[in-house]
Amino acid sequence: MTMQTKPRILILGAGYAGMICAKKLSKKLPPEQAEIILVNKHSYHQFLAQIHEPAAGRNDFEDVRVEIAEVLDLNRVRFHKGIVSSIDRERQQVHLSDGTVLSYDYLIIALGSEPEYFGIPGLADHALTLHSLNGARLIHTHIANALARYKAEPEQKHLLTFVIGGAGFTGVELATELADWLPELARRYDIPVEKTKIINIEAAPCVLPGNDAFLCEQAAQIMAAKGIELITQDPIHHVESELVCLKSGRQIHTGTIIWTGGVRGNRVVEASGFPVQRGRTPVDAFNRAQGWENIFVIGDCSLPFGPEGKPLPPTAQVALQQAEHVGENLVNLLTGQPLTPFRFIHRGVVASLGRRYAVGKVKKYRATGLIGHILKEAVAIRYLYKLGGLPLVIKKGLLA
Amino acid sequence: MTMQTKPRILILGAGYAGMICAKKLSKKLPPEQAEIILVNKHSYHQFLAQIHEPAAGRNDFEDVRVEIAEVLDLNRVRFHKGIVSSIDRERQQVHLSDGTVLSYDYLIIALGSEPEYFGIPGLADHALTLHSLNGARLIHTHIANALARYKAEPEQKHLLTFVIGGAGFTGVELATELADWLPELARRYDIPVEKTKIINIEAAPCVLPGNDAFLCEQAAQIMAAKGIELITQDPIHHVESELVCLKSGRQIHTGTIIWTGGVRGNRVVEASGFPVQRGRTPVDAFNRAQGWENIFVIGDCSLPFGPEGKPLPPTAQVALQQAEHVGENLVNLLTGQPLTPFRFIHRGVVASLGRRYAVGKVKKYRATGLIGHILKEAVAIRYLYKLGGLPLVIKKGLLA
């Protein structure tokens, strides 16, 4: 602890985890009890779980982000725009890329994830990723540009093939969304949509690997119905410029390679000396970094464990529950109450499969089609409501 | 002449010249007097003089084209979609790229122009051109993609530099239009517009070379006011990927090179054996190919001469007057009237300088600013009215 009159809580990252934690703390902790500082690369918070929608032409990019100042009381939470470059646990300091040094009493690391390329040669150099609003916008303009390039040079037929590597949630949601966008886009560029092709490549034997068989089958069916070619059990071997080579030897010429097949925790965590597994640092039952009582790690860069010691996946659902939990516990800590251990409640999953269809499983209930779609929207609405109340829900158009 | 019962008029190309000629003939020649066939690459007619507008974000691409079927009576004019590959003057036949052979009694060549690169190394490979609707759409998506790429890789600062080679009408109109679009586009991608840069390069000592000094000065002033860097008397020496090298030795790193610095007649004309100067074949006083009484050549692929024997420039204004003239003369010819020689009437010029400004000179009158802008719109309206009457003017939004 430093000699400050009141403790300083420093939150790194304004993704799902950081935002909800900041929101909780700002509501529950009176100003005299703690100072709260939030550091983020951008002045806005992005709805990462939804960016596949505008990436593939549904809605506007403004619908998937909100200015932090709009949803947090910046009189209560001090916002510092900056990029975290390292964490000095011994000195209780965080270094930003612009040279700023911020000290803390309590640190909440919510720095999220980045793409994991598994060392596949050429992949990082040639693939786009759906990992940020900026990445999503690039995918959007890149796809439109591919069609425009094809019209200018019709012999370049590979420009009409779109390859998505990885058929987890992100890959499947993007592929189906793209399948719904291409007819509209092809019409705009006077291209027969039959000439376009979406290929989704997955190393595992099925789509949405690791999920309920019902979800996997439903998703595969819908994808087939939308004309998406699904390649399973044939991992990407290497990637060259406009060429994807699979382990089987198959070669796919394409103007667009989007990699959704892997995530890892933000590299800052590992670089700062935390032990990691694929960039995620294991946390204890209180979402604390192992061995550090004043450092909490939540969201994709943390590695929490379920009741049977099984690692929890890096999903928004886990991140949000961790954020609430750490918020509560910090309040407990600062008010002399005992800490409560984290217990993840699996609320189910919903995957959108294009503009008007989704498939989900909530407890024992299965939802498909429009019902699934409504469920998916409900999840988004619930989140927006938590973040910014009804005004934000209305503003982002989800009730329109 | 073939042994057909009625002569066949074959019009190649549905640009400004071909469309207006077809329109005139279809109105003035009763069906029993001649068959009319129009061949064009696309099913639509594009307003080439305006495509810089949607290329740089003003209006929609649909505003600068119209389906040929919408403005020509296709019961009167038979439309054949195809690409002309060669003209056999001896056999009076035209070969299309799909193998179709069309015979004619009278041929009207209105195949337009294509970019001229003057042998500048690398230019054709690395530059985009504003020479068709498809080219304009590619410029549009390419520019948006450059900004999106920059956001994803902010060290690639050259992506924010946009180089336009050539400061004739097309170059100046595109540069100013782009200057009006960039603030909006930069905002959309969260980029400070001050970081973007437009450079217009001209080999001649001034912009709009060959035009009235008043126009040149006005244009240069407006361009400077819009923050466009104008480089004159420093031709492009060679071009590499994302690099423009000038004769002076100056090197410009850029993600976007657009070449507007030269046009030449469609290569089919030269390849078919017509004598050419920069792809344009000289025509006689009746806009006929030299030595061929049944072949008329109009628009950018023709080389007509003014009263003092000075070649006329390849502009829409010349093309439109030639089209009307040839239409009239063919009617004269088929009804036994004498032919009248072509006399070009210079009606003045107007250059748009962005969204709300234009500069023009009509006879001794000079127009700038909004007046110039209205004049420019008036020219466009006049053309639309000629082509498709009031409905087309309204549809394309020019009276809105």
Side-chain angles (χ1 to χ4, degrees), chain A residues 140-213:
Chain A
H140 186 101
T141 60
H142 183 94
I143 291 171
N145 197 46
L147 294 191
R149 277 175 67 201
Y150 167 77
K151 276 308 275 190
E153 298 174 72
E155 69 282 5
Q156 309 266 23
K157 296 197 199 310
H158 70 286
L159 292 171
L160 299 185
T161 297
F162 301 91
V163 172
I164 296 168
F169 279 100
T170 308
V172 166
E173 291 190 321
L174 181 63
T176 48
E177 199 76 40
L178 182 55
D180 284 358
W181 186 34
L182 276 183
E184 177 190 321
L185 199 61
R187 203 178 317 119
R188 199 190 309 160
Y189 291 96
D190 305 321
I191 297 169
V193 71
E194 310 79 60
K195 291 192 175 182
T196 66
K197 193 175 196 176
I198 302 170
I199 302 177
N200 193 187
I201 300 168
E202 171 58 49
C206 66
V207 296
L208 303 178
N211 283 284
D212 190 275

Side-chain angles (χ1 to χ4, degrees), chain A residues 40-345:
Chain A
N40 195 53
K41 192 177 174 181
H42 307 292
S43 65
Y44 56 84
H45 161 62
Q46 53 200 10
F47 310 152
L48 211 57
Q50 278 167 265
I51 56 169
H52 62 280
E53 299 175 5
R58 172 153 56 128
N59 311 329
D60 193 84
F61 283 99
E62 293 308 318
D63 293 340
V64 294
R65 72 167 168 185
V66 63
E67 284 297 316
I68 290 167
E70 256 187 76
V71 287
L72 281 185
D73 174 5
L74 295 194
N75 291 317
R76 180 66 192 97
V77 178
R78 208 176 100 204
F79 175 65
H80 191 106
K81 189 176 164 186
I83 297 171
V84 175
S85 52
S86 68
I87 298 160
D88 184 337
R89 293 170 290 183
E90 301 296 341
R91 289 201 178 82
Q92 297 187 193
Q93 287 178 334
V94 168
H95 294 256
L96 306 187
S97 65
D98 65 0
T100 306
V101 179
L102 296 168
S103 63
Y104 62 81
D105 297 297
Y106 296 98
L107 182 66
I108 299 169
I109 304 176
L111 287 167
S113 54
E114 49 189 82
E116 167 65 59
Y117 298 103
F118 303 113
I120 298 171
L123 186 57
D125 285 343
H126 298 293
L128 303 170
T129 58
L130 192 61
H131 224 84
S132 65
L133 184 77
N134 288 331
R137 287 198 287 214
L138 180 53
I139 287 173
H140 186 101
T141 60
H142 183 94
I143 291 171
N145 197 46
L147 294 191
R149 277 175 67 201
Y150 167 77
K151 276 308 275 190
E153 298 174 72
E155 69 282 5
Q156 309 266 23
K157 296 197 199 310
H158 70 286
L159 292 171
L160 299 185
T161 297
F162 301 91
V163 172
I164 296 168
F169 279 100
T170 308
V172 166
E173 291 190 321
L174 181 63
T176 48
E177 199 76 40
L178 182 55
D180 284 358
W181 186 34
L182 276 183
E184 177 190 321
L185 199 61
R187 203 178 317 119
R188 199 190 309 160
Y189 291 96
D190 305 321
I191 297 169
V193 71
E194 310 79 60
K195 291 192 175 182
T196 66
K197 193 175 196 176
I198 302 170
I199 302 177
N200 193 187
I201 300 168
E202 171 58 49
C206 66
V207 296
L208 303 178
N211 283 284
D212 190 275
F214 165 74
L215 287 188
C216 307
E217 283 156 25
Q218 282 284 317
Q221 266 178 35
I222 298 297
M223 289 172 81
K226 287 182 187 289
I228 297 164
E229 184 187 349
L230 181 62
I231 300 175
T232 52
Q233 282 186 290
D234 196 359
I236 296 176
H237 180 268
H238 67 279
V239 175
E240 297 171 24
S241 172
E242 310 211 317
L243 180 69
V244 176
C245 302
L246 305 184
K247 200 183 164 200
S248 65
R250 180 169 169 189
Q251 299 198 329
I252 303 166
H253 293 272
T254 174
T256 307
I257 307 163
I258 302 166
W259 176 245
T260 70
V263 292
R264 51 157 292 140
N266 190 312
R267 281 170 199 278
V268 167
V269 175
E270 182 172 8
S272 298
F274 290 87
V276 294
Q277 292 176 31
R278 212 192 277 175
R280 304 166 73 197
T281 189
V283 290
D284 65 15
F286 305 98
N287 284 308
R288 288 181 305 203
Q290 290 174 348
W292 296 89
E293 296 218 332
N294 64 336
I295 301 180
F296 298 84
V297 193
I298 56 180
D300 287 359
C301 65
S302 74
L303 181 55
F305 297 88
E308 293 138 35
K310 230 181 110 182
L312 296 174
T315 67
Q317 194 178 162
V318 172
L320 292 172
Q321 291 186 29
Q322 286 182 299
E324 299 254 10
H325 170 261
V326 165
E328 297 277 4
N329 259 351
L330 252 177
V331 174
N332 290 345
L333 218 151
L334 292 168
T335 54
Q337 317 277 330
L339 298 187
T340 59
F342 177 58
R343 200 176 143 256
F344 175 64
I345 298 160

Side-chain angles (χ1 to χ4, degrees), chain B residues 9-199:
Chain B
I9 301 170
L10 184 56
I11 305 172
L12 306 183
Y16 289 114
M19 279 301 280
I20 289 299
C21 196
K23 187 88 188 174
K24 187 110 197 168
L25 289 171
S26 69
K27 273 187 178 169
K28 295 249 177 149
L29 274 184
E32 59 277 14
Q33 221 145 14
E35 186 189 359
I36 307 169
I37 301 180
L38 173 65
V39 177
N40 195 52
K41 192 177 173 180
H42 307 293
S43 66
Y44 57 84
H45 161 62
Q46 54 199 10
F47 311 152
L48 211 58
Q50 278 168 266
I51 56 169
H52 61 280
E53 299 175 5
R58 172 153 56 128
N59 311 330
D60 193 84
F61 283 99
E62 293 308 318
D63 293 339
V64 294
R65 72 167 168 186
V66 63
E67 284 297 315
I68 290 167
E70 256 187 75
V71 287
L72 281 185
D73 174 4
L74 296 194
N75 291 317
R76 180 66 192 97
V77 178
R78 208 177 100 205
F79 175 65
H80 191 107
K81 189 175 164 187
I83 298 172
V84 175
S85 52
S86 68
I87 298 160
D88 184 337
R89 293 171 290 182
E90 301 296 342
R91 288 201 178 82
Q92 297 188 191
Q93 288 177 335
V94 169
H95 294 256
L96 305 188
S97 65
D98 65 0
T100 305
V101 179
L102 297 168
S103 63
Y104 62 81
D105 297 297
Y106 296 98
L107 182 66
I108 299 169
I109 304 176
L111 287 167
S113 54
E114 49 189 82
E116 167 65 60
Y117 298 103
F118 303 114
I120 298 171
L123 187 57
D125 285 343
H126 298 293
L128 302 169
T129 58
L130 193 61
H131 224 84
S132 65
L133 184 77
N134 288 331
R137 286 197 288 214
L138 180 53
I139 287 173
H140 186 102
T141 59
H142 183 94
I143 291 171
N145 196 47
L147 294 191
R149 277 175 66 201
Y150 167 78
K151 276 308 275 191
E153 299 173 72
E155 69 282 6
Q156 309 266 22
K157 296 198 199 310
H158 71 286
L159 292 172
L160 299 185
T161 296
F162 302 91
V163 172
I164 296 168
F169 279 100
T170 308
V172 167
E173 291 190 320
L174 180 63
T176 48
E177 199 76 39
L178 181 55
D180 285 358
W181 186 35
L182 277 183
E184 177 191 321
L185 199 61
R187 203 179 317 118
R188 199 189 309 160
Y189 290 97
D190 305 320
I191 297 169
V193 71
E194 310 80 59
K195 291 192 175 182
T196 66
K197 193 176 196 176
I198 302 170
I199 302 177

